[in-house]
Amino acid sequence: MTISIEPLIYIGIFVGVVMLVNGIYLMVFGKSVSMNARVNRRLSMLEKGSSREDVLAKLRKEMDQHMKSRSVPLYSLIADKAQKANIAFTPQQLMYVMVAVGFVAFIVMTFLTAAAFPLRALLSVVMGVGGVYYWVASKAKKRIALIEEQLPDAVELMVRSLRVGHPFVTAINTVAKEVADPLGSELGVIADEAAYGRDVAESIGAMADRLDMQDMRFLAVAVGIQQTSGGNLAEILQGLSNVIRARFRLFRRVKAITAEAKWSGNFLSAFPLLCLVGINVMQPDYYSEVVGTQYFIPACAVVGVMLFMNFVFMRILVNIKV
């Protein structure tokens, strides 16, 4: 029995592509783009001597650049997620990274596998685009989750600042200095925009639309109503903080309840593919007798459709709207 390790090589190359993209990102921008830093990126840039106006211009450019490239056919696939992840790469640079890692994947497959040239070319394109997409999507998911977790504490800090007599813009600026990234830099941009004359509620609403966050929309509405109708903003924000915390607890509870079903669905969807890879590794000629038959391709198509339907229906069953 001959063991083929090519399927494992392809998986390893894809993992390497994702790690390479992350390495290039950190090499170009350093630790300032890391979401684990105690001091947020905006304050780090100010400490290095950049003016407040230059920092605001740079951060706003990074926040808006991806949405302006939605019309690019290939880039439109990741534009929304790149904006939510606030990727510092420009759209052109991200496209170059796709090409670069795809070329690296092609070179590695050339030396490590015996696949034909068309297959290697196709897989290199898939790995280049897919690797960057997976990396951007994971960054976006992590960043949005961190902002949702930081938001209740940030709102409570605003409430405390308002209760000691500070204006709302000053409260936001204070919170922007105390909160780590990713929320710290986002609130810092809002404070800087307000300092240059933009309406605070409008800035918060723009941030909510950019990140597609319902809790931020609640905050924008609360601030807008207080500006037009008056009232005790500290009490309004305190109630909002309680609502956000209650929603966050409910989301966590729903996530815990549906975790088993989600993992079961993922396992049932991935298990046949893992079996296929395992069979090809242990016995590459296992399907050699049926590959040439007229029923092989239709059977593969039916299996693929059934796996896809299983994945979709399992997602629907556990996607509970809160």
Side-chain angles (χ1 to χ4, degrees):
M1 181 178 65
T2 304
I3 297 178
S4 174
I5 62 171
E6 285 198 3
L8 299 179
I9 292 175
Y10 294 140
I11 296 174
I13 292 174
F14 182 79
V15 174
V17 163
V18 176
M19 295 176 65
L20 178 61
V21 174
N22 193 58
I24 294 173
Y25 190 62
L26 293 177
M27 182 180 66
V28 173
F29 297 101
K31 294 183 178 180
S32 63
V33 295
S34 175
M35 289 181 283
N36 299 322
R38 294 183 178 180
V39 179
N40 63 61
R41 188 181 178 206
R42 171 177 168 268
L43 292 180
S44 297
M45 295 169 67
L46 291 173
E47 289 177 357
K48 292 178 181 179
S50 300
S51 65
R52 189 177 183 183
E53 184 177 358
D54 291 339
V55 172
L56 175 60
K58 182 176 178 60
L59 293 179
R60 286 191 64 180
K61 181 181 178 182
E62 291 178 358
M63 292 173 181
D64 299 334
Q65 62 185 351
H66 301 289
M67 298 312 296
K68 296 178 181 178
S69 301
R70 276 181 169 179
S71 58
V72 179
L74 181 61
Y75 194 77
S76 61
L77 297 173
I78 61 174
D80 289 336
K81 294 186 181 298
Q83 177 175 293
K84 292 179 181 179
N86 196 33
I87 300 298
F89 279 136
T90 64
Q92 292 80 7
Q93 290 173 337
L94 209 52
M95 297 285 284
Y96 293 151
V97 170
M98 289 184 187
V99 175
V101 297
F103 179 75
V104 171
F106 179 82
I107 296 299
V108 174
M109 282 187 287
T110 300
F111 285 100
L112 297 182
T113 68
F117 176 81
L119 180 59
R120 280 182 283 136
L122 177 62
L123 288 176
S124 64
V125 172
V126 171
M127 288 184 181
V129 177
V132 172
Y133 180 86
Y134 176 81
W135 175 75
V136 171
S138 62
K139 284 278 186 183
K141 183 177 180 181
K142 180 181 178 181
R143 188 168 185 268
I144 295 300
L146 284 174
I147 291 177
E148 289 176 344
E149 188 174 349
Q150 289 176 310
L151 188 58
D153 292 333
V155 174
E156 287 192 354
L157 286 175
M158 294 180 196
V159 171
R160 295 172 188 172
S161 183
L162 290 172
R163 283 177 174 168
V164 299
H166 293 160
F168 183 59
V169 175
T170 303
I172 292 180
N173 194 29
T174 301
V175 175
K177 295 177 181 178
E178 299 294 332
V179 178
D181 271 340
L183 187 58
S185 292
E186 291 281 353
L187 293 178
V189 169
I190 292 175
D192 290 342
E193 288 178 340
Y196 286 104
R198 189 178 186 185
D199 182 69
V200 179
E202 181 183 342
S203 296
I204 298 175
M207 174 184 170
D209 293 337
R210 186 175 66 252
L211 300 178
D212 192 22
M213 287 185 58
Q214 192 63 37
D215 291 336
M216 290 301 301
R217 292 191 178 97
F218 291 156
L219 179 60
V221 171
V223 174
I225 291 175
Q226 193 275 337
Q227 287 179 341
T228 56
S229 304
N232 190 334
L233 183 58
E235 294 299 326
I236 295 173
L237 294 184
Q238 182 63 61
L240 177 61
S241 175
N242 295 335
V243 170
I244 294 174
R245 287 191 182 279
R247 292 180 74 245
F248 195 71
R249 286 195 299 268
L250 182 58
F251 286 143
R252 287 289 181 90
R253 185 176 181 182
V254 170
K255 185 177 180 180
I257 293 173
T258 60
E260 181 181 358
K262 285 183 179 179
W263 279 104
S264 298
N266 293 335
F267 177 79
L268 292 174
S269 298
F271 183 72
L273 300 177
L274 296 176
C275 285
L276 178 63
V277 172
I279 290 172
N280 284 324
V281 169
M282 293 183 292
Q283 193 169 349
D285 57 346
Y286 185 82
Y287 295 103
S288 58
E289 296 182 0
V290 297
V291 168
T293 63
Q294 59 180 341
Y295 301 108
F296 183 74
I297 299 300
C300 290
V302 170
V303 171
V305 170
M306 296 298 290
L307 285 175
F308 178 75
M309 291 177 62
N310 171 74
F311 179 79
V312 171
F313 279 102
M314 289 300 294
R315 283 282 182 174
I316 293 174
L317 289 175
V318 299
N319 186 22
I320 301 176
K321 301 294 183 181
V322 181

